[in-house]
Amino acid sequence: MSLETTILDRILPSACDVEHLKTCAQEVVEEIKDDNLVKEYNAEIMLVGSVAKGTFLSNPDIDIFILFPTSTDRSHLQKIGLEIGKKHLPTYEERYAEHPYTHGTRGGYEMDIVPCYKLESTENIKCAVDRTPFHTKYIKTNMDSEMKDQVRLLKQFAKGIGVYGAESKTEGISGYLTELLIIRYGNFNKVIEAASRWNLGQVVFPNNEKKFKGDPLIVHDPVDSNRNVASAVSIQSFSKFIYAAKEYLKNPSERFFFPNVRTTYSLDGIQHYISKRNTEVIIIELDKPNLIDDNLYPQIRKTLEGVITTLQKENISAIDSDYEVKETSVKFAIEIETIELPSIKQHYGPPVWSENAPSFINKWKSNTFEPYVENGLWKVIIRRDDTNVVSYLNKNLKSSALGKDFRELKGMKITSGKDAICEDNAVILSKMIDKRMSWEVV
């Protein structure tokens, strides 16, 4: 029995589970079809997503779309769509993508009821979700049952290596993208073989009408040539997928699909690592804004970049960094060379021939150390206001380019040295230190 067959045996839903899932989904679809509001607005109901396409893994979400005529005012579409969704889900909450939709649970499954417009083609897309019915139809038309199982393998592989999901938290491979890759290459192994040879800017389903410069992976959407299905894939996820493909071909293992759980390092282990590198760590803790993940994670990354840029202004290099999202806070860990800084630093000015040179000279001529010329640039040695990195950050983070909901620095707490290496920070420090790929954890 091949490894892929063994994995399929583990991930294929049982016949009983499939029957229960389909029964639950169809029951809700039929119930919504009979809703008076659906009839009043002449809307159609469509089961979409992995359940409709038959490419789901265990415990999938059920996605049901309400397709309104294009004559429906957008505000009415949103209002009526939410009203319908709330009526048919015992427990629910409003969520927001490009417009609001209803998320809840029913029959033991998570369920999304989403309003969109019914279109004849994707040429006049009014909202991103309007493409979803076309995606469902395309996959159902172009995929047989054997290919569906290959999609499941690819999804589990992407999950195992940590790149499954196009949401901002992961910046990885969407379910629809896995389906297109199987259609393009034929099966799981052929996708892996192809991916092992990919280069930056790799194009799949080429279409000369539209270029997507800067995207690491380009997969033209067969239902909308103006869209790159892989636009969410970050350079990190793209690189990890290629490396995983290369390693899997060399040494196939279940760990690519079901990796071992990482353990948190002991404080002694963390301290030994930091001491061995002769570096220091800083932990910055801020209150977590009340945002959905797709808004939260881009701001977290921007905030970390802003902190690193602020350090660079004082010629402090961030050797490594990471973040951890907790229930009420976000922690940033940064590894630097030293906490204590020299009392002086170099400050470069404009070229000697620049029209701004006189103002630079005038500004610094009364400085303890007078300006001088070095390789065509004016330069001056000045005293630091802060010789301690923590003190410097406390004074300057407010003016850093942070995520907008982090700019007020609510709940800010900065620790370093022995104060930073504590049980409460063991998870984030372990995360920063442990550079192994998921399948390498033993």
Side-chain angles (χ1 to χ4, degrees), residues 148-189:
K148 291 174 184 178
D149 286 348
Q150 297 300 304
V151 169
R152 289 183 166 107
L153 276 174
L154 186 56
K155 284 184 177 182
Q156 189 63 48
F157 182 85
K159 276 189 174 185
I161 67 172
V163 301
Y164 185 65
E167 66 277 0
S168 295
K169 180 178 180 179
T170 305
E171 296 183 312
I173 297 172
S174 69
Y176 179 50
L177 179 51
T178 64
E179 293 159 352
L180 292 181
L181 290 175
I182 293 298
I183 288 174
R184 168 64 180 83
Y185 295 108
N187 61 40
F188 168 77
N189 279 305

Short mmCIF file of all heavy atoms in Angstrom, two decimals, residues 148-189:
data_model
loop_
_atom_site.label_atom_id
_atom_site.label_comp_id
_atom_site.label_asym_id
_atom_site.label_seq_id
_atom_site.Cartn_x
_atom_site.Cartn_y
_atom_site.Cartn_z
N LYS A 148 -10.97 14.28 -6.97
CA LYS A 148 -11.42 14.86 -5.70
C LYS A 148 -10.61 14.31 -4.54
O LYS A 148 -10.25 15.04 -3.61
CB LYS A 148 -12.91 14.58 -5.49
CG LYS A 148 -13.82 15.33 -6.46
CD LYS A 148 -15.27 14.92 -6.31
CE LYS A 148 -16.15 15.61 -7.35
NZ LYS A 148 -17.57 15.19 -7.25
N ASP A 149 -10.30 13.01 -4.59
CA ASP A 149 -9.46 12.43 -3.54
C ASP A 149 -8.04 12.99 -3.60
O ASP A 149 -7.39 13.16 -2.58
CB ASP A 149 -9.42 10.91 -3.68
CG ASP A 149 -10.72 10.25 -3.23
OD1 ASP A 149 -11.54 10.96 -2.61
OD2 ASP A 149 -10.93 9.05 -3.51
N GLN A 150 -7.57 13.28 -4.81
CA GLN A 150 -6.24 13.88 -4.95
C GLN A 150 -6.21 15.29 -4.36
O GLN A 150 -5.21 15.72 -3.78
CB GLN A 150 -5.83 13.91 -6.43
CG GLN A 150 -5.70 12.54 -7.07
CD GLN A 150 -4.66 11.68 -6.37
OE1 GLN A 150 -3.49 12.08 -6.26
NE2 GLN A 150 -5.06 10.51 -5.90
N VAL A 151 -7.32 16.00 -4.50
CA VAL A 151 -7.45 17.32 -3.87
C VAL A 151 -7.34 17.18 -2.36
O VAL A 151 -6.66 17.96 -1.68
CB VAL A 151 -8.78 18.00 -4.25
CG1 VAL A 151 -9.02 19.25 -3.38
CG2 VAL A 151 -8.78 18.39 -5.72
N ARG A 152 -8.00 16.18 -1.82
CA ARG A 152 -7.96 15.96 -0.37
C ARG A 152 -6.52 15.71 0.10
O ARG A 152 -6.10 16.23 1.14
CB ARG A 152 -8.86 14.77 0.01
CG ARG A 152 -10.35 15.06 -0.12
CD ARG A 152 -11.17 13.87 0.35
NE ARG A 152 -12.57 14.21 0.55
CZ ARG A 152 -13.56 13.84 -0.26
NH1 ARG A 152 -13.30 13.13 -1.33
NH2 ARG A 152 -14.81 14.20 0.01
N LEU A 153 -5.78 14.93 -0.66
CA LEU A 153 -4.37 14.70 -0.33
C LEU A 153 -3.59 16.01 -0.32
O LEU A 153 -2.81 16.28 0.60
CB LEU A 153 -3.74 13.74 -1.34
CG LEU A 153 -3.91 12.24 -1.12
CD1 LEU A 153 -3.34 11.47 -2.31
CD2 LEU A 153 -3.22 11.81 0.17
N LEU A 154 -3.80 16.82 -1.35
CA LEU A 154 -3.06 18.08 -1.46
C LEU A 154 -3.46 19.04 -0.35
O LEU A 154 -2.60 19.75 0.21
CB LEU A 154 -3.31 18.71 -2.84
CG LEU A 154 -2.49 19.96 -3.16
CD1 LEU A 154 -1.00 19.68 -3.02
CD2 LEU A 154 -2.82 20.45 -4.57
N LYS A 155 -4.73 19.08 -0.01
CA LYS A 155 -5.17 19.93 1.10
C LYS A 155 -4.51 19.51 2.41
O LYS A 155 -4.03 20.35 3.17
CB LYS A 155 -6.70 19.86 1.25
CG LYS A 155 -7.47 20.64 0.22
CD LYS A 155 -8.97 20.58 0.52
CE LYS A 155 -9.78 21.42 -0.45
NZ LYS A 155 -11.23 21.40 -0.14
N GLN A 156 -4.48 18.20 2.66
CA GLN A 156 -3.89 17.72 3.92
C GLN A 156 -2.39 17.98 3.95
O GLN A 156 -1.83 18.31 5.00
CB GLN A 156 -4.17 16.23 4.10
CG GLN A 156 -3.80 15.69 5.47
CD GLN A 156 -4.61 16.35 6.58
OE1 GLN A 156 -5.83 16.45 6.50
NE2 GLN A 156 -3.92 16.80 7.62
N PHE A 157 -1.74 17.86 2.81
CA PHE A 157 -0.32 18.17 2.70
C PHE A 157 -0.07 19.64 3.03
O PHE A 157 0.83 19.97 3.82
CB PHE A 157 0.17 17.85 1.29
CG PHE A 157 1.64 18.07 1.06
CD1 PHE A 157 2.56 17.09 1.38
CD2 PHE A 157 2.10 19.25 0.51
CE1 PHE A 157 3.92 17.28 1.15
CE2 PHE A 157 3.45 19.47 0.29
CZ PHE A 157 4.37 18.47 0.61
N ALA A 158 -0.88 20.52 2.42
CA ALA A 158 -0.73 21.95 2.68
C ALA A 158 -1.00 22.27 4.15
O ALA A 158 -0.32 23.12 4.75
CB ALA A 158 -1.67 22.75 1.77
N LYS A 159 -2.00 21.60 4.74
CA LYS A 159 -2.27 21.78 6.17
C LYS A 159 -1.08 21.34 7.00
O LYS A 159 -0.67 22.03 7.94
CB LYS A 159 -3.51 20.97 6.58
CG LYS A 159 -4.83 21.63 6.34
CD LYS A 159 -5.95 20.83 6.99
CE LYS A 159 -7.29 21.56 6.87
NZ LYS A 159 -8.36 20.85 7.59
N GLY A 160 -0.55 20.17 6.67
CA GLY A 160 0.54 19.61 7.46
C GLY A 160 1.78 20.48 7.47
O GLY A 160 2.46 20.58 8.50
N ILE A 161 2.08 21.13 6.35
CA ILE A 161 3.29 21.96 6.28
C ILE A 161 3.00 23.40 6.67
O ILE A 161 3.91 24.23 6.70
CB ILE A 161 3.94 21.90 4.88
CG1 ILE A 161 3.05 22.55 3.83
CG2 ILE A 161 4.28 20.47 4.52
CD1 ILE A 161 3.71 22.70 2.47
N GLY A 162 1.72 23.70 6.98
CA GLY A 162 1.38 25.02 7.52
C GLY A 162 1.12 26.10 6.51
O GLY A 162 1.27 27.30 6.83
N VAL A 163 0.69 25.75 5.29
CA VAL A 163 0.42 26.79 4.28
C VAL A 163 -1.00 26.69 3.72
O VAL A 163 -1.28 27.22 2.64
CB VAL A 163 1.45 26.73 3.12
CG1 VAL A 163 2.85 26.91 3.64
CG2 VAL A 163 1.33 25.42 2.33
N TYR A 164 -1.92 26.03 4.43
CA TYR A 164 -3.28 25.89 3.91
C TYR A 164 -4.16 27.03 4.42
O TYR A 164 -4.28 27.24 5.62
CB TYR A 164 -3.89 24.55 4.32
CG TYR A 164 -5.26 24.32 3.69
CD1 TYR A 164 -5.40 24.19 2.32
CD2 TYR A 164 -6.40 24.25 4.49
CE1 TYR A 164 -6.64 23.98 1.74
CE2 TYR A 164 -7.65 24.05 3.91
CZ TYR A 164 -7.76 23.92 2.54
OH TYR A 164 -9.00 23.72 1.97
N GLY A 165 -4.74 27.75 3.49
CA GLY A 165 -5.65 28.84 3.84
C GLY A 165 -5.19 30.16 3.26
O GLY A 165 -4.03 30.55 3.45
N ALA A 166 -6.08 30.84 2.55
CA ALA A 166 -5.73 32.11 1.91
C ALA A 166 -5.96 33.30 2.83
O ALA A 166 -5.65 34.43 2.47
CB ALA A 166 -6.56 32.29 0.63
N GLU A 167 -6.50 33.06 4.04
CA GLU A 167 -6.77 34.16 4.94
C GLU A 167 -5.48 34.84 5.38
O GLU A 167 -4.39 34.27 5.28
CB GLU A 167 -7.57 33.68 6.16
CG GLU A 167 -6.83 32.74 7.08
CD GLU A 167 -6.86 31.30 6.63
OE1 GLU A 167 -7.47 31.00 5.57
OE2 GLU A 167 -6.26 30.45 7.34
N SER A 168 -5.59 36.06 5.89
CA SER A 168 -4.42 36.87 6.24
C SER A 168 -3.56 36.23 7.31
O SER A 168 -2.36 36.48 7.39
CB SER A 168 -4.87 38.26 6.69
OG SER A 168 -5.48 38.96 5.63
N LYS A 169 -4.15 35.40 8.14
CA LYS A 169 -3.38 34.74 9.20
C LYS A 169 -2.32 33.82 8.61
O LYS A 169 -1.20 33.73 9.12
CB LYS A 169 -4.33 33.93 10.10
CG LYS A 169 -3.65 33.20 11.23
CD LYS A 169 -4.67 32.47 12.09
CE LYS A 169 -3.99 31.73 13.23
NZ LYS A 169 -4.98 31.03 14.10
N THR A 170 -2.65 33.14 7.50
CA THR A 170 -1.76 32.14 6.92
C THR A 170 -1.08 32.62 5.65
O THR A 170 0.08 32.30 5.40
CB THR A 170 -2.55 30.85 6.60
OG1 THR A 170 -3.22 30.40 7.78
CG2 THR A 170 -1.64 29.75 6.08
N GLU A 171 -1.78 33.38 4.81
CA GLU A 171 -1.27 33.84 3.51
C GLU A 171 -0.78 32.66 2.67
O GLU A 171 0.31 32.65 2.13
CB GLU A 171 -0.13 34.85 3.70
CG GLU A 171 -0.56 36.14 4.37
CD GLU A 171 0.55 37.15 4.48
OE1 GLU A 171 1.66 36.77 4.91
OE2 GLU A 171 0.34 38.33 4.13
N GLY A 172 -1.65 31.65 2.61
CA GLY A 172 -1.25 30.42 1.94
C GLY A 172 -2.15 30.02 0.79
O GLY A 172 -2.68 30.86 0.05
N ILE A 173 -2.34 28.72 0.65
CA ILE A 173 -3.02 28.12 -0.50
C ILE A 173 -4.49 27.86 -0.16
O ILE A 173 -4.79 27.15 0.79
CB ILE A 173 -2.32 26.80 -0.88
CG1 ILE A 173 -0.88 27.10 -1.32
CG2 ILE A 173 -3.07 26.06 -1.96
CD1 ILE A 173 -0.04 25.85 -1.52
N SER A 174 -5.38 28.40 -0.93
CA SER A 174 -6.81 28.23 -0.70
C SER A 174 -7.27 26.86 -1.19
O SER A 174 -6.58 26.18 -1.97
CB SER A 174 -7.60 29.31 -1.43
OG SER A 174 -7.51 29.13 -2.84
N GLY A 175 -8.46 26.46 -0.74
CA GLY A 175 -9.04 25.21 -1.22
C GLY A 175 -9.25 25.22 -2.71
O GLY A 175 -8.98 24.22 -3.41
N TYR A 176 -9.73 26.34 -3.25
CA TYR A 176 -9.96 26.45 -4.69
C TYR A 176 -8.65 26.33 -5.46
O TYR A 176 -8.58 25.68 -6.52
CB TYR A 176 -10.63 27.79 -4.99
CG TYR A 176 -10.92 28.07 -6.45
CD1 TYR A 176 -11.57 27.13 -7.25
CD2 TYR A 176 -10.56 29.28 -7.04
CE1 TYR A 176 -11.86 27.38 -8.59
CE2 TYR A 176 -10.85 29.56 -8.37
CZ TYR A 176 -11.49 28.60 -9.14
OH TYR A 176 -11.77 28.87 -10.47
N LEU A 177 -7.57 26.87 -4.90
CA LEU A 177 -6.26 26.76 -5.56
C LEU A 177 -5.78 25.31 -5.60
O LEU A 177 -5.25 24.86 -6.61
CB LEU A 177 -5.24 27.64 -4.84
CG LEU A 177 -3.80 27.62 -5.38
CD1 LEU A 177 -3.77 27.85 -6.88
CD2 LEU A 177 -2.96 28.66 -4.66
N THR A 178 -6.00 24.55 -4.53
CA THR A 178 -5.61 23.14 -4.56
C THR A 178 -6.38 22.39 -5.64
O THR A 178 -5.83 21.52 -6.33
CB THR A 178 -5.85 22.44 -3.19
OG1 THR A 178 -7.25 22.43 -2.89
CG2 THR A 178 -5.09 23.12 -2.07
N GLU A 179 -7.64 22.74 -5.82
CA GLU A 179 -8.47 22.09 -6.84
C GLU A 179 -7.95 22.39 -8.24
O GLU A 179 -7.86 21.51 -9.10
CB GLU A 179 -9.92 22.54 -6.68
CG GLU A 179 -10.55 22.03 -5.39
CD GLU A 179 -11.77 22.83 -4.95
OE1 GLU A 179 -12.06 23.88 -5.56
OE2 GLU A 179 -12.42 22.40 -3.99
N LEU A 180 -7.59 23.65 -8.47
CA LEU A 180 -7.07 24.04 -9.78
C LEU A 180 -5.72 23.37 -10.06
O LEU A 180 -5.44 22.99 -11.21
CB LEU A 180 -6.93 25.55 -9.86
CG LEU A 180 -8.23 26.35 -9.87
CD1 LEU A 180 -7.94 27.84 -9.99
CD2 LEU A 180 -9.14 25.91 -11.02
N LEU A 181 -4.89 23.22 -9.04
CA LEU A 181 -3.59 22.58 -9.24
C LEU A 181 -3.76 21.11 -9.62
O LEU A 181 -3.02 20.59 -10.47
CB LEU A 181 -2.74 22.70 -7.97
CG LEU A 181 -2.23 24.12 -7.65
CD1 LEU A 181 -1.51 24.14 -6.30
CD2 LEU A 181 -1.30 24.63 -8.75
N ILE A 182 -4.73 20.45 -9.01
CA ILE A 182 -4.99 19.05 -9.38
C ILE A 182 -5.53 18.97 -10.80
O ILE A 182 -5.13 18.09 -11.59
CB ILE A 182 -5.98 18.39 -8.38
CG1 ILE A 182 -5.34 18.25 -7.00
CG2 ILE A 182 -6.45 17.04 -8.90
CD1 ILE A 182 -4.11 17.36 -6.96
N ILE A 183 -6.42 19.87 -11.17
CA ILE A 183 -6.93 19.88 -12.55
C ILE A 183 -5.78 20.13 -13.53
O ILE A 183 -5.69 19.49 -14.58
CB ILE A 183 -8.03 20.96 -12.71
CG1 ILE A 183 -9.30 20.51 -11.98
CG2 ILE A 183 -8.32 21.21 -14.18
CD1 ILE A 183 -10.39 21.56 -11.96
N ARG A 184 -4.89 21.04 -13.17
CA ARG A 184 -3.78 21.39 -14.07
C ARG A 184 -2.78 20.24 -14.23
O ARG A 184 -2.34 19.91 -15.35
CB ARG A 184 -3.06 22.63 -13.53
CG ARG A 184 -1.71 22.96 -14.18
CD ARG A 184 -1.86 23.30 -15.66
NE ARG A 184 -0.57 23.60 -16.25
CZ ARG A 184 0.29 22.70 -16.71
NH1 ARG A 184 -0.01 21.41 -16.64
NH2 ARG A 184 1.44 23.07 -17.24
N TYR A 185 -2.41 19.59 -13.12
CA TYR A 185 -1.33 18.59 -13.18
C TYR A 185 -1.81 17.15 -13.15
O TYR A 185 -1.06 16.24 -13.50
CB TYR A 185 -0.33 18.83 -12.05
CG TYR A 185 0.41 20.14 -12.18
CD1 TYR A 185 0.13 21.21 -11.33
CD2 TYR A 185 1.38 20.31 -13.16
CE1 TYR A 185 0.81 22.42 -11.45
CE2 TYR A 185 2.06 21.52 -13.30
CZ TYR A 185 1.77 22.57 -12.43
OH TYR A 185 2.44 23.76 -12.56
N GLY A 186 -3.04 16.90 -12.71
CA GLY A 186 -3.61 15.56 -12.79
C GLY A 186 -3.77 14.82 -11.49
O GLY A 186 -4.79 14.18 -11.26
N ASN A 187 -2.76 14.86 -10.62
CA ASN A 187 -2.88 14.20 -9.33
C ASN A 187 -1.90 14.81 -8.33
O ASN A 187 -1.09 15.68 -8.68
CB ASN A 187 -2.66 12.69 -9.45
CG ASN A 187 -1.28 12.32 -9.97
OD1 ASN A 187 -0.27 12.92 -9.62
ND2 ASN A 187 -1.23 11.32 -10.85
N PHE A 188 -1.97 14.33 -7.10
CA PHE A 188 -1.15 14.89 -6.02
C PHE A 188 0.34 14.80 -6.32
O PHE A 188 1.07 15.80 -6.21
CB PHE A 188 -1.47 14.16 -4.71
CG PHE A 188 -0.50 14.45 -3.60
CD1 PHE A 188 -0.56 15.65 -2.90
CD2 PHE A 188 0.49 13.53 -3.26
CE1 PHE A 188 0.35 15.94 -1.89
CE2 PHE A 188 1.40 13.80 -2.25
CZ PHE A 188 1.33 15.00 -1.56
N ASN A 189 0.80 13.63 -6.71
CA ASN A 189 2.23 13.45 -6.95
C ASN A 189 2.75 14.35 -8.06
O ASN A 189 3.87 14.87 -7.99
CB ASN A 189 2.55 11.98 -7.25
CG ASN A 189 2.65 11.16 -5.98
OD1 ASN A 189 3.42 11.48 -5.08
ND2 ASN A 189 1.87 10.09 -5.90
#
